[in-house]
Amino acid sequence: MGISESPSPPHLYPQALQLKLYQAFIFSIPILFSIILFLLFYLFYLKRRASIGSNSPVAATLPRNSTQPIIHN
């Protein structure tokens, strides 16, 4: 009764390709995180600020050729 050693199962991808895939995945995480942060910043801060500025009652009530300066906060 000899013990036969079973060969180790072959990798699905070569070691170099696995390393490249791992590096690409690790590199893409901060980029995707930054894109999501910028998108949330745009949606919740800049969009609200733009909608508040366009609905300003001061700018809507003053005539265009008024001598009083329009001050935007």
Side-chain angles (χ1 to χ4, degrees), residues 9-63:
H11 290 291
L12 296 176
Y13 298 105
Q15 192 71 25
L17 184 59
Q18 284 183 353
L19 180 63
K20 286 183 181 180
L21 287 172
Y22 175 76
Q23 287 175 342
F25 180 72
I26 293 300
F27 180 75
S28 66
I29 288 175
I31 293 173
L32 292 175
F33 183 71
S34 300
I35 290 171
I36 291 170
L37 280 181
F38 282 124
L39 182 65
L40 289 174
F41 174 73
Y42 171 75
L43 288 176
F44 289 110
Y45 183 72
L46 294 178
K47 197 105 172 172
R48 283 188 186 171
R49 190 166 180 183
S51 67
I52 289 172
S54 65
N55 295 333
S56 176
V58 174
T61 57
L62 289 175

